Amino acid sequence: MRRLGTKYLFLSLLVTFACGNVPAWAQSNQGFDTERWLYGKVVLVTGDSLQGAVVYHPAQDVVQIASEDGIINSFSAVSVSHFMISGVYNGKPQVFRSLPWNKGSIQSDFRVPVFFELINQGELVLMKRYIGVTAAKADQQYATASIQTSYFPHFATEGDELQEVLYMLLPNGEIVQLRKPKKDLLKLCGVHTGKVKQYAKSNKLDYNSSKDLRNIVDYYNTL
């Protein structure tokens, strides 16, 4: 637990959030010069919730939130139900959920809670995790046909770019990595495979684009 040196962070974020414009913010002289914060909400597994300035550490699966009095609390996925960061996608929040996962192991079903970003809602839920570009190149277990990189100022990382790793949450709670998004998604579509392929083709959607993939999954969820 740490304390920010000023209440300006929380107050300025609160005012701009109320006005509908939530910019990234970086503390300059209190040891937070590499961390940027956005207004958000963290909901714990106990049902308690906290609101304030949020920064996310994807490599450690830790979210930090600064309260109005300057206290910074750190939470792992074990303690968190979900958290939201406001205004990331054209005014819409970025939503993360803690889910038990065996990290794709085929040798063990031991699961630990980790954070996934939820991309949509429905029978099939498209999700993302983020890893550093350097780590992605070195670790082939994350190999995927989707080599999109992202930068979020409220992610505390060593580098500027993160690779998106795509997953699907199935109705039975199973989490499947989409290593080859087109092939792996169509396997999950069952009797609707033909309709999904035609929809993607007609709308010129790219399976390797997470934005287009969301549109394809959303279409499947209407069938």
Side-chain angles (χ1 to χ4, degrees):
M1 181 181 294
R2 294 184 292 173
R3 183 181 294 273
L4 290 174
T6 177
K7 293 184 180 179
Y8 176 74
L9 165 62
F10 181 88
L11 294 175
S12 62
L13 284 169
L14 184 59
V15 170
T16 52
F17 176 64
C19 295
N21 180 24
V22 187
W25 182 94
Q27 180 76 2
S28 60
N29 55 15
Q30 296 292 332
F32 296 95
D33 55 316
T34 62
E35 298 179 356
R36 302 173 185 270
W37 303 71
L38 290 181
Y39 192 84
K41 179 179 181 179
V42 176
V43 179
L44 305 179
V45 293
T46 60
D48 296 327
S49 63
L50 302 89
Q51 297 187 53
V54 173
V55 67
Y56 174 47
H57 301 257
Q60 293 78 28
D61 263 329
V62 168
V63 60
Q64 291 182 298
I65 184 164
S67 61
E68 184 177 0
D69 59 8
I71 295 293
I72 296 179
N73 288 292
S74 300
F75 298 101
S76 71
V78 174
S79 303
V80 176
S81 168
H82 61 278
F83 68 93
M84 298 172 285
I85 303 174
S86 300
V88 176
Y89 298 119
N90 296 320
K92 296 181 179 179
Q94 188 174 32
V95 180
F96 290 83
R97 181 179 170 188
S98 175
L99 293 168
W101 184 42
N102 66 355
K103 298 189 177 181
S105 173
I106 60 175
Q107 299 177 340
S108 171
D109 196 40
F110 178 71
R111 304 184 182 197
V112 295
V114 298
F115 289 124
F116 288 90
E117 181 184 355
L118 305 185
I119 309 303
N120 71 330
Q121 296 180 356
E123 180 181 348
L124 294 182
V125 180
L126 185 62
M127 306 188 298
K128 291 181 191 176
R129 279 177 59 79
Y130 299 88
I131 59 174
V133 171
T134 301
K137 292 178 180 178
D139 195 339
Q140 292 302 309
Q141 70 170 309
Y142 292 111
T144 173
S146 178
I147 310 297
Q148 290 182 256
T149 56
S150 305
Y151 170 71
F152 294 106
H154 54 285
F155 281 20
T157 62
E158 294 182 359
D160 289 335
E161 289 186 333
L162 293 165
Q163 181 182 333
E164 297 179 355
V165 183
L166 301 173
Y167 299 86
M168 195 73 75
L169 176 63
L170 307 185
N172 64 0
E174 182 182 357
I175 295 171
V176 177
Q177 183 180 342
L178 303 182
R179 296 176 182 272
K180 296 181 179 180
K182 180 177 181 179
K183 179 180 178 181
D184 294 342
L185 172 60
L186 293 177
K187 279 184 179 180
L188 300 174
C189 292
V191 297
H192 298 304
T193 298
K195 292 180 180 180
V196 171
K197 289 174 67 175
Q198 185 58 46
Y199 175 81
K201 182 178 180 180
S202 299
N203 290 277
K204 298 180 179 180
L205 299 176
D206 182 359
Y207 290 87
N208 293 323
S209 162
S210 57
K211 181 180 179 181
D212 285 358
L213 194 62
R214 171 182 178 167
N215 290 335
I216 297 170
V217 176
D218 282 345
Y219 170 73
Y220 168 85
N221 286 337
T222 66
L223 299 176

